[in-house]
């Protein structure tokens, strides 16, 4: 769409795909505007992570992958599998929309926070990550950004791999894809285990034990080319995770301890099927999905169904009909989303099960004018069974004022729906809750200066009607406000055989009523990656600086709390791979190279220096 070759090169990186891949102008994404388009035509800051990136980084989890990307701040209560929160551009962790193959992550609307630590990295073929508001296209949750995890394989063949490392870590992985005439079959599975380490939680009763993690996952798909214009697919995945953590004593009606839940068992299965049609200027996709998530926390000595145990059991049904038309030098898109969530009794501490329905209708458009101006706009209305109708909209514009340099501006509204627990709980619920609402302004420059592709962005996000508990009645009300200001800068360049990628984030997230800095978010972050090849060795060096952040310390005996400041830390990872043959590759990694002692959640230890060694064989 943008005709000048220099700008195509610049935008393919500074949009910001170059952070995780080669930035070629033919890279396609589907998440930004819900139709397939070249990455260099997307105005919102965008990162793409491929399976090859994950293998080069030797990342062991989705949280580790996301922690390398601009605008992302991860707070995790321990090691692998421990509960994590993902803050994008200073917004709350509940303000990120996580999709798997374009479908909202099940259970995130119940627990209120999408937990990336539980998604097996073995499922990931690709991640598309959009920063900024996207409710005008997706509805609830997309205030800070959207993370779309795409599963499966992207090419025929097979691969098996095995890895071992510190804390008794072991992982076995296999995947396969084969095409039979017009039918493509993909299968894969993984087993991961780590004995873990003692996270030594300071706000819970002392439990001197290993807090380990185990995950078993499977995925598969069948795609059929029915005619030249019509194709269909069926795909599914599931995982079974067990996580150990430091739990709290549970008291019965007589105030006697009847258990200490310190184990989490999460079962998740998801299926979807659909049809894709393409004819000339028109493309359409119809998808239906089903998912079930069963999340249990229990004391192993008492059992999963003891009075001290909890179970969140959620079924999700979805349907999407997406359409796009090529018009002029752009597209017009329209679609309908339908979602139903159904809970069992006990979910979210509610005595009864509940249902909620949501139907969303959206319209979007993109257009290139005068070979130098790009415009985007979208609007959406959601009809929710709990709070009625809610509308959102956004618009963006970019002007190439000099060859290879653009100025970009955008404005968007977004919202977060209240959860069923916040609405229906007899003890603290409020049926009159309204959605949390966001207004975000953003402006920036991007360009290609010599060998450097760069982008600098400033933004402000005003979030009103934040749902919080009243200190006197303990019921939820729309009583909070937040004001977030930030600057994001990214760049990529090569110096001979060395490839450099760097980002800088400054975030000032504050409670608009008290002016207090919001917890668990670093004020500044610097992220740098260096890639190079020496003979046949492929090296990757990753550096992260996590700046000062605040948290709340809780005394486990008196339950009193105080605000604490946590200092910054610099972290280095070193990874290297060597192709023994054209099919066999061995890899090694040292994480936290200098064995830094740090925390991202106050009172919860993180891993020190860790070693891993792995090998993979392709066929």
């Amino acid at each position: 769409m943008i005709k000048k070759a220099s700008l195509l090169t610049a935008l393919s990186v500074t949009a910001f795909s170059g952070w995780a891949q080669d930035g070629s102008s033919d890279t396609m994404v589907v998440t930004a505007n819900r139709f397939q388009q070249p990455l260099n035509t997307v105005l919102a800051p965008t990162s793409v992570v491929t399976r090859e990136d994950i293998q080069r980084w030797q990342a062991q989890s989705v949280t580790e992958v996301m922690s390398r990307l601009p605008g992302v701040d991860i707070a995790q209560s321990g090691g692998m599998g421990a509960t994590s929160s993902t803050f994008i551009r200073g917004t709350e962790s509940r303000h990120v929309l996580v999709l798997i193959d374009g479908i909202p992550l099940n259970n995130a609307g119940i627990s209120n926070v999408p937990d990336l630590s539980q998604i097996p990295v073995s499922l990931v073929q690709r991640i598309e990550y959009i920063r900024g508001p996207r409710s005008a296209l997706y509805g609830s949750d997309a205030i800070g950004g959207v993370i779309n995890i795409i599963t499966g394989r992207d090419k025929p063949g097979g691969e098996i791999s095995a890895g071992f490392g510190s804390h008794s870590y072991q992982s076995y992985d296999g995947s396969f894809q084969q095409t039979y005439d017009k039918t493509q079959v993909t299968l894969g599975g993984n087993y991961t285990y780590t004995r873990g380490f003692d996270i030594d939680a300071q706000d819970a009763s002392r439990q001197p034990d290993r807090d380990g993690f185990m995950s078993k996952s499977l995925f598969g798909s069948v795609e059929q080319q029915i005619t030249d214009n019509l194709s269909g697919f069926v795909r599914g995945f599931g995982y079974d995770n067990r996580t150990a953590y430091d739990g709290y004593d549970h008291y019965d009606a007589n105030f006697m301890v009847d258990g200490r839940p310190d184990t989490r068992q999460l079962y998740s299965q998801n299926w979807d099927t659909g049809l894709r049609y393409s004819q000339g200027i028109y493309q359409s996709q119809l998808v239906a999905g089903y998912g079930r998530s069963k999340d249990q926390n229990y004391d192993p000595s008492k059992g999963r169904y003891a009075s001290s145990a909890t179970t969140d059991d959620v079924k999700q049904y979805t349907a999407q009909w997406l359409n796009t038309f090529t018009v002029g030098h752009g597209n017009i898109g329209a679609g309908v989303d339908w979602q139903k969530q159904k809970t069992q009794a006990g979910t979210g501490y509610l005595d009864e099960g509940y249902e909620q329905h949501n139907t969303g209708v959206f319209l979007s458009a993109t257009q290139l004018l005068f070979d130098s101006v790009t415009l985007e706009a979208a609007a959406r209305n959601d009809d929710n069974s709990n709070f009625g109708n809610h509308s959102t909209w956004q618009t963006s514009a970019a002007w190439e004022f000099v060859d290879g340099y653009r100025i970009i501006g955008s404005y968007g509204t977004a919202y977060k729906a209240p959860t069923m627990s916040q609405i229906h709980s007899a003890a603290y619920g409020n049926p009159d809750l309204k959605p949390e609402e966001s207004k975000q302004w953003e402006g920036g420059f991007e360009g290609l200066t010599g060998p450097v592709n760069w982008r600098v962005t400033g933004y402000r996000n005003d979030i009103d009607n934040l749902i919080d508990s009243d200190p006197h009645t303990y019921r939820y009300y729309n009583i909070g406000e937040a004001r977030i200001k930030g600057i994001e800068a990214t760049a990529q360049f090569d110096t001979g055989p060395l490839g450099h990628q760097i980002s800088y984030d400054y975030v000032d997230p504050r409670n608009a009523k008290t002016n207090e800095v919001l917890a668990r978010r670093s004020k500044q972050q610097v992220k740098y990656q260096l890639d190079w090849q020496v003979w046949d060795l492929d090296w990757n060096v990753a550096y992260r600086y996590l700046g000062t952040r605040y948290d709340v310390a809780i005394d486990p005996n008196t339950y009193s709390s105080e605000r604490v400041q946590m200092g910054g830390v610099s972290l280095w990872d070193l990874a290297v791979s060597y192709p023994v043959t054209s099919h066999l590759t061995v890899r090694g990694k040292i994480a936290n190279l200098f064995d830094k002692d740090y925390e991202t959640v106050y009172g919860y230890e993180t891993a020190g220096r860790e070693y891993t060694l792995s090998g993979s064989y392709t066929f």
Side-chain angles (χ1 to χ4, degrees):
M1 293 170 63
I2 299 177
K3 297 179 179 179
K4 297 179 176 61
S6 61
L7 188 57
L8 282 172
T9 303
L11 298 187
S12 67
V13 176
T14 58
F16 192 70
S17 66
W19 183 255
Q21 60 174 23
D22 62 9
S24 59
S25 61
D26 59 353
T27 300
M28 306 295 286
V29 295
V30 297
T31 309
N33 290 296
R34 302 193 70 174
F35 62 84
Q36 191 175 69
Q37 64 184 118
L39 182 53
N40 48 57
T41 66
V42 178
L43 299 188
T46 303
S47 300
V48 176
V49 179
T50 66
R51 188 67 195 173
E52 289 74 19
D53 296 320
I54 295 172
Q55 290 177 332
R56 186 172 67 254
W57 301 343
Q58 300 179 49
Q60 297 178 0
S61 66
V62 174
T63 55
E64 182 182 346
V65 172
M66 293 304 303
S67 69
R68 292 175 175 243
L69 302 183
V72 177
D73 201 351
I74 302 287
Q76 191 159 8
S77 303
M80 181 179 292
T83 301
S84 69
S85 299
T86 303
F87 304 102
I88 295 180
R89 288 186 165 185
T91 59
E92 296 290 342
S93 53
R94 65 181 181 269
H95 293 159
V96 53
L97 175 63
V98 176
L99 310 171
I100 299 185
D101 293 322
I103 295 174
L105 178 67
N106 190 16
N107 200 35
I110 307 302
S111 65
N112 206 29
V113 176
D115 189 355
L116 296 179
S117 72
Q118 295 298 306
I119 302 174
V121 73
S122 60
L123 294 177
V124 181
Q125 179 257 317
R126 176 185 179 90
I127 295 177
E128 296 181 2
Y129 158 52
I130 316 298
R131 298 185 286 287
R134 262 331 189 233
S135 284
L137 289 159
Y138 288 99
S140 178
D141 300 4
I143 292 178
V146 177
I147 300 170
N148 188 11
I149 297 172
I150 299 169
T151 65
R153 285 180 59 92
D154 62 349
K155 56 186 176 182
E159 182 175 10
I160 55 174
S161 62
F164 305 90
S166 305
H167 307 304
S168 301
Y169 170 81
Q170 53 184 299
S171 181
Y172 309 94
D173 193 273
S175 62
F176 166 83
Q177 185 179 95
Q178 184 65 50
T179 300
Y180 306 93
D181 193 17
K182 296 183 178 181
T183 305
Q184 185 180 84
V185 178
T186 304
L187 297 171
N190 172 268
Y191 171 81
T192 296
Y193 168 81
T194 178
R195 191 181 176 196
F197 58 92
D198 187 6
I199 61 176
D200 191 18
Q202 298 301 303
D203 63 347
S205 301
R206 183 73 174 93
Q207 291 179 266
D209 59 356
R210 298 269 188 165
D211 296 299
F213 174 69
M214 181 184 71
S215 176
K216 296 175 285 187
S217 62
L218 290 171
F219 69 86
S221 68
V222 177
E223 299 191 29
Q224 178 69 42
Q225 192 68 41
I226 302 170
T227 69
D228 291 342
N229 305 108
L230 181 66
S231 64
F233 65 89
V234 177
R235 60 192 171 199
F237 68 89
Y239 48 89
D240 176 2
N241 298 346
R242 187 176 72 232
T243 309
Y245 58 92
D246 287 356
Y248 299 90
D249 289 336
H250 184 273
Y251 297 88
D252 61 18
N254 298 317
F255 299 101
M256 300 295 291
V257 176
D258 61 356
R260 181 184 290 174
D262 63 358
T263 300
R264 179 186 186 185
Q265 189 85 39
L266 174 62
Y267 305 90
S268 180
Q269 61 168 313
N270 295 267
W271 301 89
D272 65 314
T273 183
L275 295 170
R276 300 188 183 100
Y277 178 80
S278 178
Q279 176 67 54
I281 64 171
Y282 174 62
Q283 297 181 27
S284 182
Q285 177 174 276
L286 179 64
V287 180
Y290 165 79
R292 184 178 183 182
S293 175
K294 190 174 183 180
D295 194 350
Q296 298 177 299
N297 289 266
Y298 62 96
D299 183 335
S301 66
K302 304 293 183 179
R304 300 180 187 179
Y305 300 97
S307 58
S308 59
T310 62
T311 300
D312 289 346
D313 193 344
V314 186
K315 295 179 180 178
Q316 177 174 274
Y317 306 84
T318 58
Q320 303 175 351
W321 183 32
L322 309 177
N323 302 273
T324 179
F325 302 84
T326 301
V327 177
H329 295 287
N331 297 80
I332 294 177
V336 179
D337 293 311
W338 175 83
Q339 181 188 71
K340 180 177 82 170
Q341 288 187 320
K342 182 177 181 180
T343 67
Q344 299 298 313
T347 300
Y349 299 97
L350 300 179
D351 294 333
E352 302 178 19
Y354 290 91
E355 288 187 11
Q356 70 176 12
H357 308 259
N358 190 92
T359 302
V361 179
F362 72 89
L363 181 67
S364 66
T366 64
Q367 194 64 222
L368 174 68
L369 303 175
F370 315 116
D371 290 332
S372 61
V373 177
T374 304
L375 303 176
E376 282 185 4
R380 178 180 172 115
N381 182 76
D382 286 281
D383 184 10
N384 190 282
S385 59
N386 284 323
F387 56 82
N389 286 280
H390 192 83
S391 297
T392 49
W393 64 278
Q394 66 186 60
T395 184
S396 304
W399 174 40
E400 183 192 4
F401 58 94
V402 176
D403 284 353
Y405 293 86
R406 293 204 304 185
I407 182 173
I408 300 174
S410 67
Y411 173 82
T413 63
Y415 78 99
K416 164 68 179 178
T419 68
M420 282 188 267
S421 295
Q422 292 171 336
I423 292 174
H424 297 296
S425 172
Y428 52 82
N430 180 357
D432 297 323
L433 283 176
K434 299 177 182 178
E436 300 176 335
E437 298 179 322
S438 162
K439 299 176 182 178
Q440 180 168 314
W441 296 262
E442 181 172 339
F445 294 90
E446 63 181 15
L448 174 63
T449 304
V452 182
N453 295 287
W454 56 268
R455 177 171 179 144
V456 178
T457 299
Y459 56 87
R460 171 172 171 165
N461 199 347
D462 293 346
I463 309 176
D464 301 320
N465 290 334
L466 284 172
I467 298 172
D468 205 350
S469 177
D470 184 275
H472 303 292
T473 67
Y474 301 106
R475 289 196 179 274
Y476 283 112
Y477 294 94
N478 296 102
I479 55 178
E481 296 179 12
R483 299 291 181 268
I484 303 170
K485 300 176 183 178
I487 297 172
E488 177 183 288
T490 55
Q492 180 190 27
F493 57 95
D494 294 331
T495 54
L498 305 179
H500 309 266
Q501 298 169 358
I502 188 168
S503 73
Y504 170 76
D505 286 284
Y506 172 84
V507 181
D508 184 22
R510 294 183 179 270
N511 183 316
K513 292 188 174 181
T514 66
N515 203 39
E516 192 173 71
V517 177
L518 300 179
R520 297 185 179 177
R521 273 146 278 198
S522 298
K523 184 176 183 179
Q524 299 182 79
Q525 290 191 91
V526 178
K527 301 176 183 181
Y528 170 71
Q529 290 195 155
L530 174 65
D531 292 284
W532 83 97
Q533 284 190 333
V534 178
W535 295 291
D536 289 331
L537 292 173
D538 188 357
W539 296 82
N540 174 260
V541 176
Y543 168 77
R544 287 185 296 143
Y545 170 72
L546 308 178
T548 301
R549 69 179 72 198
Y550 293 89
D551 207 344
V552 177
I554 300 176
D555 189 309
N557 298 313
T558 64
Y559 298 104
S560 61
S561 63
E562 64 173 335
R563 188 172 174 85
V564 294
Q565 179 175 324
M566 302 164 63
V569 64
S570 292
L571 303 171
W572 292 86
D573 294 345
L574 174 64
V576 61
S577 63
Y578 176 72
V580 179
T581 71
S582 59
H583 297 281
L584 176 63
T585 301
V586 295
R587 300 179 175 91
K589 179 180 178 181
I590 306 175
N592 193 357
L593 181 64
F594 298 106
D595 197 23
K596 293 289 187 177
D597 183 14
Y598 72 102
E599 298 171 352
T600 56
V601 176
Y602 182 78
Y604 286 78
E605 292 187 2
T606 53
R609 185 188 296 116
E610 293 184 302
Y611 304 88
T612 55
L613 179 66
S614 63
S616 63
Y617 183 81
T618 59
F619 55 93

